[in-house]
Amino acid sequence: MSGTRVAVLGAGIVGAACARELALAGFRVTVVDRGGPAAATTSHGEGNVLLSDKGPGPELLLAQLSRRLWPEVLGAIAERSARGAAAVAAVEWEPKGGIVVATTDAGARELARFAGAQREAGVRAEVLGPEALAEAEPHVTRDHTAALHYPDDAQVQPAGAAVALLTDALTAGAALRTGCEVLGAVTRGGRLIAVRTSAGLLDADLFVNAAGPWAGELAARLGAPVDVRPRRGDILVTTPLPPMVFHKVYDADYVGAVGNSAEELQTSAVVESTRAGSVLLGSSRRRAGFDDRLRPEVLSAIAAKALRLFPGLAGVPVMRAYGGFRPYVPDHLPVIGSDPRLPGLWHAGGHEGAGVGLSLGTAVMLRDLMLNQPTEIDATAFRVDRPAVLGAAARTGNEETI
């Protein structure tokens, strides 16, 4: 594919990962973003690379592929150049594992059932008795009914990870245009041949919609709408503390919140530390469009559930709160592949809160599909022309035909 021009529309974690894989495969890549690299959704997440919250199925397979790739890719970036090595240091890759805690009898039964199905799919999930849990997490609540350790869960600094991937893409010959908003499509013979942007016309042979929560809006502008919507999440950040949380620790009801499609607020306890010493407290999910206001009642609900899991956090100062939009698809599966309605357009998005963890597998799958090569895992479940993706009401694109 040497000489084939690809425009990646979006410079978040997924766009950066796709740009890297495509540039290394010999495509001539240009990355376009209306802001800057990792400036939106990517920088407003926790950097999770998780297997623990995914049941058997296509998303888990993609997560397992990505989890295997993360250390391999970071090692390759560090070896390729001094610039890459410096970028990898900022990723803060930490395979610290996760612990899921049930606090009710019903939660313990559901956790055991869920973990049993995961084990059959190749996920390591180890039962922790009360003494083992206390040793692993001395400050977690003793008022629990079950606990599981997931040794393969990991964490990165999300903006640092995206910048490292993008740095490697640029080293491989990709170009980056920031402050460049995509406004509409230019087609010829029913094929997408260029996009109109705030900085002028950008032509290419292939275009990748990697716009995260804005992917639905962007797709509509290009005349091929997909049902990707924003789903709001908020996080509290404590002041730096002495080490007191050693894994990603969350309540068993987190898995249900991830898979729930309800519009109203859902919260569950998710607690983890950062290398800087701050503790991140989550999580919340609500569909509120692109309303970016922090709501006290949401932050209060997050704090209350975190305190049930870690009572010792009572009285710890919270130095800030932030929120972001996750790209939600009604069937909770990413959208990866070519758009049959508009040749030349490809999609890589809809990962909701799992974009960091799934980004590398998504990029490899997209690359193989573009090269018309077999994919390591079946790409069928992620196709664009499935009902959940095309379920949005038709929207008018901003299309120019020549």
Side-chain angles (χ1 to χ4, degrees), residues 11-22 42 47-50 54 59 62-70 73-74 91 93 156-158 161-166 210 334 336 348-367:
I13 188 75
V14 173
C18 292
R20 176 184 178 274
E21 284 295 338
L22 296 175
T42 297
N48 294 326
V49 181
L50 303 182
K54 298 171 182 64
E59 187 184 30
L62 187 61
Q64 290 170 314
L65 171 61
S66 295
R67 175 60 179 84
R68 191 195 78 216
L69 289 171
W70 267 107
V73 166
L74 293 177
V91 174
W93 167 255
V156 296
Q157 205 293 330
V163 169
L165 296 171
L166 190 56
I336 307 169
H351 301 80
E352 201 168 335
V356 172
L358 301 179
S359 57
L360 299 189
T362 296
V364 167
M365 181 181 291
L366 182 77
R367 177 204 66 196

Side-chain angles (χ1 to χ4, degrees), residues 198-210:
S198 57
L201 203 65
L202 173 65
D203 59 342
D205 302 302
L206 303 172
F207 298 81
V208 180
N209 176 4

Side-chain angles (χ1 to χ4, degrees), residues 75-259:
I77 295 173
E79 290 177 5
R80 204 168 345 265
S81 69
R83 185 183 177 193
V88 166
V91 174
E92 300 181 7
W93 167 255
E94 193 170 1
K96 60 186 177 183
I99 292 179
V100 184
V101 179
T103 55
T104 65
D105 290 336
R109 290 191 295 271
E110 177 58 22
L111 181 58
R113 183 204 64 77
F114 187 73
Q118 289 179 304
R119 292 189 191 99
E120 293 181 2
V123 176
R124 294 193 292 166
E126 304 164 351
V127 175
L128 292 177
E131 291 184 2
L133 177 60
E135 182 178 355
E137 290 291 343
H139 301 283
V140 79
T141 179
R142 298 295 172 257
D143 185 17
H144 66 274
T145 54
L148 288 174
H149 176 223
Y150 288 84
D152 295 318
D153 280 359
Q155 183 183 20
V156 296
Q157 205 293 330
V163 169
L165 296 171
L166 190 56
T167 295
D168 208 36
L170 298 178
T171 299
L176 173 65
R177 297 187 187 181
T178 58
C180 184
E181 182 175 1
V182 176
L183 304 175
V186 178
T187 62
R188 175 184 294 143
R191 182 179 184 85
L192 181 62
I193 62 167
V195 291
R196 292 184 292 105
T197 80
S198 57
L201 203 65
L202 173 65
D203 59 342
D205 302 302
L206 303 172
F207 298 81
V208 180
N209 176 4
W214 295 272
E217 180 180 322
L218 176 59
R221 291 184 184 187
L222 299 179
V226 293
D227 197 3
V228 179
R229 320 172 200 172
R231 202 180 190 195
R232 174 83 179 180
D234 297 297
I235 297 170
L236 298 172
V237 185
T238 73
T239 55
L241 302 171
M244 66 173 297
V245 184
F246 303 96
H247 303 76
K248 179 184 179 71
V249 185
Y250 61 86
D251 192 285
D253 63 4
Y254 174 79
V255 174
V258 170

Side-chain angles (χ1 to χ4, degrees), residues 139 237-246 271-281 310 312-319:
H139 301 283
V237 185
T238 73
T239 55
L241 302 171
M244 66 173 297
V245 184
F246 303 96
V271 181
E272 61 188 318
S273 63
T274 67
R275 287 191 183 177
S278 295
V279 175
L280 306 181
L281 309 178
F310 280 86
L313 289 171
V316 170
V318 171
M319 65 178 181

